[in-house]
Amino acid sequence: MPTPALSIVIPVFNEEATLTTLFARLYPALDELGETYEVVFINDGSRDRSAAILREQYEARPDVTRVILFSANAGQHMAIMAGFEHCRGEIVLTLDADLQNPPEEIHKLVAKMREGHDYVGSIRRKRQDSLFRTWASKAMNRLREKITRIKITDQGNMLRAYSRSVVNAINSCKEVATFIPALAYTFARSPTEVVVEHEERAAGESKYSLYSLIRLNFDLMTGFSLVPLQWFSMLGIVVSLGSGALFVLLMVRRLILGPEAEGLFTLFALMFFLIGLALFGIGLLGEYIGRIYQQVRHRPRYLIEAILEKQE
Ligand code: UDP
Ligand code: MG
């Protein structure tokens, strides 16, 4: 395979229900572009028939298909990392396997890249997700805007295009817990965004539980900003000034009016509030320390069982 113009990187985790439809729409859409391309699928340790289906597709289109098979689940962003390390295209696009990002929209991103941008994000024109997901993601977008310097309108959307130089920069950092669109944004010279369509998941279920969504958002916030820690120490200053003032007030009161025993439950409320704050602070520290620990262990970020690709 000579260097293709486009690489399409697609992470796959338990997507047996959508893969066939994905192939049927993706390959014709790409053929229509009239560009040389390769599709790189990463099977992220699926426990269903996904690996077998990807193997069949590789046998059907070996000229333009490459498949990386992980031996265990490493997460969507690590799967994309592996795709980035193995793809060869000049423009690299990421896409979800569940057809929420219509393959027919790829040409819009390619056109923007050809205008000279090195990173093209996308904004979902009308998001087809549950109300709760849409609302929660809006809130996280706003929080991210505040605490990081990353300007992405629609962070949850993975239909994005990256230039070779941005992909090389991403490959040079060996981050364990990261958020690819944000990492790419920090390396891009000329980022831009386009509006794209969004569809309901073609089949199967979302691979993100509420818990894993929260974890992912912690990766984003802690990976790109120290602001949560800085805010927390500011809060600490305010609270200790406040309690200092309270101490002086109570001392004066004790001297003038004598001892008091009332206000027991006010005390409880105050204590619970402060204990809550302290626990939150310890948890927040833990989020950072845990990531530092993962990073310094230097364990492999993912284990590749096999790579299916045509030998040159
Ligand atoms: N995915 C993955 N590993 C995981 C979770 C998800 O490779 O641990 C893939 C999944 O197969 C899909 C994409 O990441 O291609 C997005 O996942 P999903 O559609 O379930 O997320 P949602 O659209 O609900 O955010
Ligand atoms: Mg999806």
Side-chain angles (χ1 to χ4, degrees), residues 247-260:
F247 175 75
V248 173
L249 187 83
L250 290 180
M251 279 306 279
V252 172
R253 206 194 122 97
R254 171 74 177 72
L255 292 174
I256 299 172
L257 297 179
E260 61 148 352

Side-chain angles (χ1 to χ4, degrees), residues 12-23 43 46-54 97 201 203-204 207:
V12 175
F13 179 55
N14 293 344
E15 300 284 6
E16 60 180 4
T18 63
L19 284 177
T20 324
T21 339
L22 172 69
F23 303 149
N43 175 43
S46 301
R47 285 178 286 271
D48 65 356
R49 287 194 58 250
S50 296
I53 300 173
L54 290 173
R201 199 173 224 291
K207 303 300 175 287

Side-chain angles (χ1 to χ4, degrees), residues 90-93 108-121 160-167 184-185 187-194:
E90 275 312 308
I91 297 177
V92 180
L93 293 110
K108 288 188 188 167
L109 285 91
V110 176
K112 272 278 172 212
M113 291 294 283
R114 291 273 145 83
E115 282 172 21
H117 296 284
D118 57 354
Y119 171 46
V120 182
R160 288 166 195 278
Y162 310 88
S163 72
R164 176 47 49 192
S165 58
V166 169
V167 169
Y185 183 89
F187 296 129
R189 268 178 304 106
S190 158
T192 187
E193 295 182 320
V194 288

Side-chain angles (χ1 to χ4, degrees), residues 11-304:
V12 175
F13 179 55
N14 293 344
E15 300 284 6
E16 60 180 4
T18 63
L19 284 177
T20 324
T21 339
L22 172 69
F23 303 149
R25 279 176 61 185
L26 176 67
Y27 284 80
L30 290 172
D31 288 331
E32 211 162 273
L33 292 178
E35 307 255 10
T36 51
Y37 68 87
E38 63 174 4
V39 188
V40 182
F41 292 101
I42 305 92
N43 175 43
D44 186 12
S46 301
R47 285 178 286 271
D48 65 356
R49 287 194 58 250
S50 296
I53 300 173
L54 290 173
R55 192 179 287 273
E56 278 163 24
Q57 179 62 17
Y58 167 70
E59 274 151 18
R61 294 292 298 271
D63 49 329
V64 289
T65 309
R66 304 168 72 199
V67 181
I68 302 171
L69 300 167
F70 280 6
S71 38
N73 182 253
Q76 179 184 1
H77 290 260
M78 284 305 116
I80 295 175
M81 278 282 189
F84 279 6
E85 279 178 358
H86 290 86
C87 70
R88 289 170 292 200
E90 275 312 308
I91 297 177
V92 180
L93 293 110
T94 54
L95 201 72
D96 282 353
D98 58 355
L99 284 168
Q100 288 200 279
N101 310 132
E104 296 79 12
E105 299 287 88
I106 290 176
H107 74 93
K108 288 188 188 167
L109 285 91
V110 176
K112 272 278 172 212
M113 291 294 283
R114 291 273 145 83
E115 282 172 21
H117 296 284
D118 57 354
Y119 171 46
V120 182
S122 65
I123 305 166
R124 293 169 278 200
R125 195 177 62 78
K126 190 168 181 313
R127 189 163 173 184
Q128 306 289 341
D129 273 317
S130 69
L131 272 178
F132 172 74
R133 274 293 291 272
T134 313
W135 170 83
S137 142
K138 276 215 180 93
M140 291 321 290
N141 262 303
R142 268 198 300 273
L143 184 61
R144 191 218 58 245
E145 288 285 320
K146 284 215 179 68
I147 70 176
T148 69
R149 283 203 203 97
I150 291 156
K151 303 261 169 302
I152 298 176
T153 313
D154 188 1
Q155 64 187 28
N157 190 11
M158 290 310 286
L159 177 56
R160 288 166 195 278
Y162 310 88
S163 72
R164 176 47 49 192
S165 58
V166 169
V167 169
N168 287 344
I170 293 178
N171 288 344
S172 71
C173 32
K174 303 283 174 212
E175 298 203 14
V176 175
T178 196
F179 195 85
I180 305 241
L183 190 57
Y185 183 89
T186 61
F187 296 129
R189 268 178 304 106
S190 158
T192 187
E193 295 182 320
V194 288
V195 175
V196 294
E197 298 301 321
H198 190 237
E199 294 176 7
E200 265 181 59
R201 199 173 224 291
E205 284 174 353
S206 172
K207 303 300 175 287
Y208 281 98
S209 60
L210 180 60
Y211 179 74
S212 38
L213 279 176
I214 294 175
R215 306 258 25 106
L216 185 68
N217 276 289
F218 265 117
D219 282 342
L220 176 58
M221 306 295 169
T222 58
F224 296 91
S225 164
L226 290 180
V227 171
L229 286 178
Q230 290 158 350
W231 278 359
F232 202 81
S233 41
M234 287 302 144
L235 187 69
I237 294 176
V238 172
V239 170
S240 36
L241 285 180
S243 50
L246 187 66
F247 175 75
V248 173
L249 187 83
L250 290 180
M251 279 306 279
V252 172
R253 206 194 122 97
R254 171 74 177 72
L255 292 174
I256 299 172
L257 297 179
E260 61 148 352
E262 302 288 325
L264 182 63
F265 287 94
T266 319
L267 179 67
F268 266 112
L270 219 78
M271 285 302 291
F272 285 156
F273 174 69
L274 292 180
I275 292 171
L277 274 185
L279 284 180
F280 173 68
I282 295 170
L284 189 63
L285 272 178
E287 294 292 339
Y288 282 91
I289 295 172
R291 282 171 179 78
I292 299 170
Y293 179 50
Q294 276 183 331
Q295 197 72 52
V296 298
R297 274 192 319 218
H298 285 300
R299 292 194 187 154
R301 295 181 294 170
Y302 44 78
L303 284 178
I304 294 179

